[in-house]
Amino acid sequence: TLNAAAAWARKAEQEILDTISTNSTAVTSTGVYGFVSELLTHIIQLSVGERSRQRMPVDARLRLLLPAWVPGQMQIDYLRQGNVETVLRSPQELRAMFANAGVNVTFYEDERTGAGQVVGPQAAAELRDLPEIVEWYLYHEGAHVHLTGGELDLGLVRDSTLNATNDFRIFAEEFAEVAFRGIWSYRVRSTLCPSGDRQIPIDGDPCGAS
């Protein structure tokens, strides 16, 4: 029963993220340094830029959606730092960084269709890395509104045939949608590496992009 509920929740969240994605401007970015530095840099770049474009207050809080595995990838990035004491940062400390960046963060557990944000199964081979592409969303509060039309839940269904095989059926359905009532919303796919790098020699100028 719990597995069925989890599958239902995953499908429901996928539908929500698909709709949010459809109503968002697609953006890409690539990191130069480590995961933490670049993710926060890109979030600040987009949020500060959009406040400027929309003439919003400089302290206006924006909504950020991130995959649930991001705090773990941030911990890995810190553990790989060289020439510093090895300290495991707490998830609370890492999440506070987003608050300091002027955004209200929500972590999502699933993914839009084909986004590659759910960590795949671990095979009998090399240890699987977390995804190298982070798909995150940024928009002003209230841009996306969750609409619910109720739920139809028949619960467990048994009959003589199912009893004979010690089986049961379960049926539930939710009527929901996401309405876009905003002015702007972005879906960003950032290619980042948890290398631990903070300052490294690079080819080219990191400030050369517009």
Side-chain angles (χ1 to χ4, degrees), residues 49-152:
E50 200 57 35
R51 290 190 191 96
S52 174
R53 285 185 283 271
Q54 302 296 337
R55 206 174 187 276
M56 300 174 69
V58 294
D59 59 350
R61 307 291 296 183
L62 306 179
R63 176 59 56 180
L64 172 69
L65 305 185
L66 282 172
W69 48 262
V70 163
Q73 192 77 300
M74 295 173 74
Q75 288 178 315
I76 292 172
D77 189 53
Y78 271 112
L79 289 173
R80 287 176 174 168
Q81 272 190 278
N83 301 320
V84 296
E85 181 182 0
T86 301
V87 177
L88 182 61
R89 302 294 184 100
S90 70
Q92 293 76 19
E93 182 181 4
L94 298 173
R95 290 169 181 169
M97 294 181 179
F98 299 110
N100 292 335
V103 294
N104 302 321
V105 64
T106 297
F107 294 96
Y108 64 87
E109 296 186 19
D110 300 292
E111 62 179 358
R112 71 172 175 88
T113 303
Q117 298 300 286
V118 175
V119 181
Q122 177 63 54
E126 186 71 16
L127 181 64
R128 176 183 287 275
D129 290 330
L130 298 178
E132 66 175 9
I133 295 179
V134 185
E135 184 164 286
W136 50 280
Y137 298 82
L138 186 74
Y139 49 87
H140 60 87
E141 292 286 12
H144 301 278
V145 179
H146 183 256
L147 307 176
T148 178
E151 178 182 315
L152 175 62

Side-chain angles (χ1 to χ4, degrees), residues 202-206:
I202 59 172
D203 294 328
D205 180 6

